[in-house]
Structures are given as C-alpha cells and as structure tokens.
C-alpha cells in the first residue's frame, strides 16, 4: 500500500490496531504528500451487510473533509474524533464494554433459566427494562440459536482487550472490571480455541454449568439498525415480538 500511494491520496484504515503503528505510517505517507485516516467501524455483521455501520474518524481534519462524503455514503453515522489515535479509543473501549455485557448476559440468563424462567420470556423482560442494551438485543438471539458471533473470532476480541489494557496503563487507570472481563475472555480462548466467536463466554458457561442457553424461534432472526438521536437502535426481523400477532419482517 505504501509503495502504491502517491501525492494527494488518502489511506482510509479500518483496522483496529495500536495507533502508534498508524503514526509510523503517517510519517511515511507525509513524505509522499499523502495522508492516513484512522477509521475503525462498529455495529455488527448484520449492520455491515446492510451498510448501517458507524465509523469513527481520526487524523488530519482537511483529509477528513475531503473524504467525508464517501464515509457518509458508506456508513449510517460518521464521527470525527480528532487527531490520529483518538478514534481507536472509543472503538477499543466499545468492544470492551460489549465484552462485559456478554459475560453479564450469560450469568443473568443462567440464573433465570435455573430458577425456572423461560429464556425467551426473560430476554423480552430485560428488553422492556432499564437493563436493556444493544448487546442484549443482538447477542441474546445469537446465543439462542447456538451461534457465538463466529464472524468476529475470540482471538481478535482478546487482541482488542489487550489494546485496551495498554491504553489504561498509559492513562494510569486501574482495570478492575475490565481486567476481570479480560481474564474470562482469555479463559474462553484457551478452553475453546481461537476460532470460536467473540460471544464465547456464554458457551464456556454452558459447558461448565451443563446447561444450554439455546431457544427456539430465532432460526431466521436478523436485524437492522437505525440512528435515533445519534444512538444505534435495533429493529428485529423474522421473530415473534410481544404485542404483535405476526412475525416481524
């Protein structure tokens, strides 16, 4: 890529990596009169398929202005975060927050099921509560049908966790909850292998508790997302929702 880029071109990098690497690339690109924008994305596989992902953008603001129309045509939400390195912060911390919620969801579902509640009814109960989240809406159906987000393998999630650890160390912020989440993910990685999806902790807990979290009715489930006041809102498809007589489409 470096060899093929010449003056005036802009490299849009969607990788989730150590931003120090991008600083090295930027120095080399600047020598050629080119630029680099750090553009990590978020939203999940279904949103990606439908062109509904969100993107953070960091780097030279003039470069951002030049390609803003391309990004706005490709993503549902575009946010400029500042200088190089700043886009990677919300990206990595967003993934780590998701990791916390995946583990909490697995624990909550196991408590509910082993206490006699129907799993799907319990999932809907939390959807209507203050405990709901984007992750609850999307991870739950994946686990119900025995999938664990295989499109994003756990070794990549563990890589992002380590990036977050390095960020915290540099900022001198102790990682207590995030640190525990990182250890659970490492345990799932070592137990289940690097190819299992990033929703692996529920699978790990299912094995350890000898209790399945799968449930019927989600075989054809998918979702879309909408940007509502700057926040991602999930719209479910091909499942039965409370208060609706027919399956959503």
């Amino acid at each position: 890529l470096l060899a093929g880029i010449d003056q005036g071109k802009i490299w849009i990098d969607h990788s989730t990596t150590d931003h120090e690497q991008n600083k090295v690339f930027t120095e080399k690109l600047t020598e050629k009169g080119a630029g680099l924008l750090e553009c990590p994305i978020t939203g999940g596989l279904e949103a990606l398929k439908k062109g509904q992902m969100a993107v953070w953008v960091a780097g030279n603001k003039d470069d951002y202005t030049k390609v803003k129309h391309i990004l706005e045509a490709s993503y549902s939400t575009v946010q400029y975060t500042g200088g190089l390195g700043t886009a990677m912060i919300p990206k990595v911390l967003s993934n780590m927050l998701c990791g916390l919620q995946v583990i909490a969801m697995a624990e909550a579902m196991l408590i509910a099921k082993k206490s006699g509640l129907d799993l799907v009814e319990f999932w809907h109960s939390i959807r209507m509560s203050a405990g709901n989240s984007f992750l609850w809406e999307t991870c739950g159906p994946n686990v119900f049908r025995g999938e664990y987000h295989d499109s994003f393998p756990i070794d990549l999630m563990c890589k992002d966790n380590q990036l977050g650890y390095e960020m915290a160390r540099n900022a001198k912020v102790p990682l207590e909850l995030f640190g525990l989440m990182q250890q659970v993910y490492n345990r799932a990685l070592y137990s289940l292998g690097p190819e299992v999806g990033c929703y692996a902790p529920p699978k790990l807990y299912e094995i350890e508790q000898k209790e399945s979290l799968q449930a019927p009715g989600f075989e054809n489930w998918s979702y879309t997302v909408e940007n509502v006041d700057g926040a991602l809102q999930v719209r479910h498809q091909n499942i039965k929702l409370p208060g609706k007589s027919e399956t959503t489409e």
Side-chain angles (χ1 to χ4, degrees), residues 55-68:
V55 62
W56 297 284
V57 186
N60 182 281
K61 194 161 189 179
D62 289 338
D63 288 344
Y64 164 64
T65 301
K66 291 175 185 175
V67 302
K68 184 180 178 184

Side-chain angles (χ1 to χ4, degrees), residues 151-167:
S151 60
F152 186 62
I154 192 172
D155 60 341
L156 293 182
M157 180 66 181
C158 289
K159 178 263 296 179
D160 289 353
N161 287 341
Q162 188 61 28
L163 290 174
Y165 170 83
E166 296 297 337
M167 286 179 184

Side-chain angles (χ1 to χ4, degrees), residues 3 16 22 36 43 46 54-55 71 82 85-86 97-98 100 112-113 123 131 141 148 150-151 156 169 176 185 224 245:
T16 303
N22 281 340
L36 181 145
E46 291 301 321
V55 62
L71 295 170
T86 58
L97 285 167
C98 286
L100 280 176
K113 182 172 183 182
W123 180 68
Y148 301 91
D150 295 342
S151 60
L156 293 182
R169 187 177 70 168
E176 296 181 355
Y185 263 87
T224 61
S245 58

